Amino acid sequence: MLTFSLQSGSNGNSIYVEAGDTRLLFDAGISGEQAANRMRAHGRDIRDVQALIISHDHYDHTRCAGVFQRKFGLPIYMSNAVFRAIRYKLGKVRDVRSYTPGDRLEFGDVSVHTIRTPHDGIDTVCFVVEHEGKRLGIFTDLGHPFAALQSVLGEVDAAYLESNYDVEMLRTGSYPEQLKRRIAGDAGHLSNDEAAELSQRCKSRRLQWVAVAHLSQENNRPDLALETHRKRIGSLFPVHLASRYQVSDVFEV
């Protein structure tokens, strides 16, 4: 299984996963041109993707879903509630396929497990992609370290893991207090410390690498997120970065 992040952050999210003959995109928060160019940078054609799977309704995950279908012919998978919420923003779409959070989606010999999260979106889910015994987690927009998260993180071989904010940067930053409370609350995002603690708890299990993801522009820095994780886990497995601004390296699972 191969994967790379096209972009990860509140300015837009999209992650590519390739397993056997199956090619999937998760979320469509960047433009069609950006997505095609960033896939091309790694020798991939976006028109070969078999499915676009949407995690929830927020704009940074859905902004160009309709464009991806009209321009590249990708069928869109999302819950009925998400479709109702964003339908007027999608534009004309012809192929929208429904799933319910908790469902397992099948694409040939690839399974995508959808896991509900307590983030404050509509039908928000994270994902585990499974192929030939290998499992990749796509864990962003998590709300807080909910009970099932640690368990499932210990059962994957690699993961994109939300590491949204540095606690001190958020506390002293310019955001309004209400927004600070939302981000740090039970329906917001994971901090560097929370994400690193989760990684540390799984370091003696099957986890081979983590890519820190969905970093805040205002309340985090890549070096802080990476340093926080590396202090907790040492050199037991690599910690990568899913950038807000560019395509990541190709990661193998």
Side-chain angles (χ1 to χ4, degrees):
M1 194 185 312
L2 300 176
T3 181
F4 52 87
S5 167
L6 280 66
Q7 185 169 298
S8 183
S10 59
N11 58 331
N13 295 273
S14 191
I15 288 174
Y16 173 77
V17 179
E18 177 180 317
D21 295 328
T22 300
R23 284 135 178 76
L24 304 172
L25 275 176
F26 293 85
D27 291 325
I30 63 176
S31 74
E33 182 178 5
Q34 284 178 314
N37 288 341
R38 290 174 183 182
M39 288 191 61
R40 193 177 298 117
H42 287 311
R44 301 301 190 273
D45 188 338
I46 194 170
R47 291 174 176 81
D48 293 334
V49 171
Q50 287 110 327
L52 168 63
I53 306 172
I54 300 297
S55 62
H56 64 297
D57 64 305
H58 285 167
Y59 188 67
D60 56 323
H61 296 259
T62 63
R63 177 168 64 95
C64 289
V67 174
F68 280 30
Q69 180 172 115
R70 289 187 294 275
K71 191 170 184 178
F72 307 121
L74 308 189
I76 307 172
Y77 290 74
M78 65 179 74
S79 80
N80 285 328
V82 169
F83 180 59
R84 288 194 297 269
I86 69 169
R87 185 172 187 173
Y88 72 99
K89 299 178 183 177
L90 284 174
K92 187 175 181 180
V93 288
R94 295 184 177 180
D95 192 354
V96 178
R97 307 178 189 186
S98 175
Y99 73 84
T100 299
D103 283 354
R104 184 172 68 179
L105 309 177
E106 303 287 351
F107 303 94
D109 58 355
V110 176
S111 296
V112 177
H113 307 260
T114 65
I115 302 163
R116 189 182 290 274
T117 82
H119 184 62
D120 59 359
I122 295 173
D123 279 353
T124 308
V125 298
C126 58
F127 305 100
V128 173
V129 185
E130 185 170 5
H131 177 250
E132 294 185 345
K134 297 292 187 179
R135 307 180 94 220
L136 168 68
I138 302 175
F139 303 137
T140 66
D141 297 82
L142 299 172
H144 64 272
F146 57 98
L149 181 59
Q150 181 177 331
S151 174
V152 73
L153 185 60
E155 296 171 354
V156 299
D157 298 281
Y160 294 94
L161 181 61
E162 175 177 74
S163 190
N164 181 254
Y165 65 95
D166 173 78
V167 171
E168 187 63 15
M169 286 185 70
L170 179 65
R171 186 185 70 81
T172 60
S174 61
Y175 278 10
E177 288 303 316
Q178 183 178 359
L179 180 55
K180 291 180 181 181
R181 288 193 295 270
R182 180 252 169 185
I183 292 169
D186 284 348
H189 294 282
L190 262 60
S191 70
N192 292 340
D193 290 332
E194 289 172 323
E197 182 177 354
L198 285 167
S199 296
Q200 181 183 35
R201 290 177 182 175
C202 297
K203 68 182 183 180
S204 62
R205 302 168 79 173
R206 65 190 285 179
L207 199 60
Q208 297 172 5
W209 57 259
V210 163
V212 293
H214 216 300
L215 274 64
S216 169
Q217 180 177 18
E218 300 295 330
N219 303 304
N220 209 351
R221 298 196 315 267
D223 62 304
L224 275 179
L226 292 169
E227 179 185 8
T228 303
H229 279 73
R230 288 168 178 160
K231 280 183 177 178
R232 291 291 188 100
I233 64 170
S235 59
L236 287 180
F237 57 77
V239 181
H240 305 298
L241 174 69
S243 172
R244 290 176 56 91
Y245 306 109
Q246 59 193 15
V247 65
S248 74
D249 294 335
V250 177
F251 307 128
E252 186 173 354
V253 183

